[in-house]
Amino acid sequence: SFLDDLIRSNQDVSSWETIGKSGEGRALKIVKIGYPPATTGQTKPIIWIDAGIHAREWIAPATATYIISILIREKNDEEISKMLKTFDFHILPTANPDGYEYSRLFDRFWRKTRSRNAGTFLGFFCIGVDPNRNYGYQWSRTGSSGNPCSNTYHGPRPFSEPETASIASHVMQNKNNIKLFLSLHSYSQLILTPWGWTRDLPKDHADMMKMAEIASRAFKMRHGTEYRYGSSTSLLCKQTYDILHS
Ligand SMILES: [Zn+2]
């Protein structure tokens, strides 16, 4: 594939790691990018980016792939090379490969995983869990559904989906080094920060707003696109929202 070729010819700066398997057995693969390469075991601050946890949001995996290709191809650019020496990027371009494949082949608007919701009456008819409502923190508190037929079904228990369980396990293994956790979704032009389950704000809210402002300004300079930013609850209110309950 495109990424295989790119990584094979740039082993000085990039490598694959499989962090788990999807419900249907597809590998969940992250690309690690940084100097020196991750294989040396040296730890640096980590920037995590995942994409495609919602199957139908195709622009997200495409964006992650683009980010990977720029970081690797432009590794000799002064600013990018500085970033790669400062940080390790861990990028998961396809967080929900089963759902993605299903959205490609059968149902363009498929959003969830493809797990069988055994053991419940509705689960007999309805497949899949919204993996972005399946993370453990404040699981099922708000903005999700207990109905297996709902597009925001949170699953039978926290981390019931191998996709979210694998991400969580990788994050916990690297929790002291991960300094930024970004999850790419569509649509909207929004930069969303925690929390999504309460109107309260985390104690580093001001810092995150400062970062979001810088990012929003950079997006606007590049293509004139306007990105609003704020906590998930403040920007999305009662709409169905797309955030990691982290
Ligand atoms: Zn989404």
Side-chain angles (χ1 to χ4, degrees):
S1 72
F2 169 73
L3 287 181
D4 280 328
D5 290 343
L6 192 64
I7 289 157
R8 197 176 304 118
S9 44
N10 289 279
Q11 293 178 28
D12 58 322
V13 73
S14 61
S15 60
W16 283 114
E17 183 186 326
T18 299
I19 61 164
K21 268 187 183 168
S22 71
E24 293 179 345
R26 295 185 174 87
L28 300 167
K29 291 167 75 178
I30 61 169
V31 182
K32 292 177 163 181
I33 312 170
Y35 287 121
T39 44
T40 61
Q42 188 187 323
T43 44
K44 287 147 64 191
I46 294 168
I47 294 176
W48 167 277
I49 302 174
D50 64 81
I53 196 154
H54 285 144
R56 64 193 180 191
E57 299 169 9
W58 288 359
I59 195 67
T63 303
T65 306
Y66 179 73
I67 293 170
I68 292 166
S69 76
I70 292 295
L71 288 176
I72 296 179
R73 284 169 160 171
E74 307 289 326
K75 64 187 179 186
N76 296 322
D77 170 89
E78 195 182 331
E79 261 182 73
I80 289 182
S81 126
K82 201 172 135 194
M83 265 202 297
L84 296 178
K85 283 171 189 158
T86 312
F87 303 103
D88 281 328
F89 287 81
H90 289 192
I91 304 179
L92 176 64
T94 312
N96 176 9
D98 302 346
Y100 185 72
E101 184 74 356
Y102 194 80
S103 76
R104 306 280 311 187
L105 294 178
F106 302 111
D107 180 352
R108 175 64 186 86
F109 285 100
W110 190 259
R111 164 180 163 106
K112 301 191 282 180
T113 61
R114 292 293 303 163
S115 54
R116 305 298 185 269
N117 298 308
T120 62
F121 177 69
L122 285 174
F124 183 78
F125 300 99
C126 294
I127 281 174
V129 166
D130 180 347
N132 207 41
R133 302 292 183 279
N134 187 241
Y135 288 100
Y137 187 67
Q138 303 295 342
W139 178 79
S140 87
R141 282 286 295 272
T142 57
S144 67
S145 169
N147 177 351
C149 297
S150 163
N151 245 341
T152 55
Y153 176 46
H154 50 51
R157 61 185 178 280
F159 299 119
S160 60
E161 304 310 284
E163 294 81 3
T164 51
S166 303
I167 293 171
S169 136
H170 183 79
V171 165
M172 291 311 283
Q173 282 166 35
N174 294 281
K175 64 178 182 198
N176 297 325
N177 298 311
I178 294 177
K179 301 301 176 193
L180 177 64
F181 190 109
L182 279 176
S183 200
L184 303 181
H185 289 257
S186 71
Y187 61 99
S188 294
Q189 287 176 190
L190 299 172
I191 303 169
L192 300 177
T193 61
W195 303 106
W197 65 279
T198 170
R199 292 196 165 274
D200 294 348
L201 298 170
K203 59 178 188 301
D204 51 356
H205 178 71
D207 282 354
M208 285 191 281
M209 287 303 98
K210 214 174 288 170
M211 270 192 78
E213 189 197 342
I214 293 167
S216 170
R217 210 183 303 139
F219 293 157
K220 187 164 185 183
M221 266 168 56
R222 190 78 171 90
H223 293 298
T225 39
E226 303 258 5
Y227 272 73
R228 291 191 296 138
Y229 53 90
S231 80
S232 297
T233 26
S234 73
L235 282 188
L236 296 172
C237 291
K238 286 186 172 119
Q239 300 172 35
T240 303
Y241 52 87
D242 280 342
I243 57 130
L244 171 82
H245 291 228
S246 61

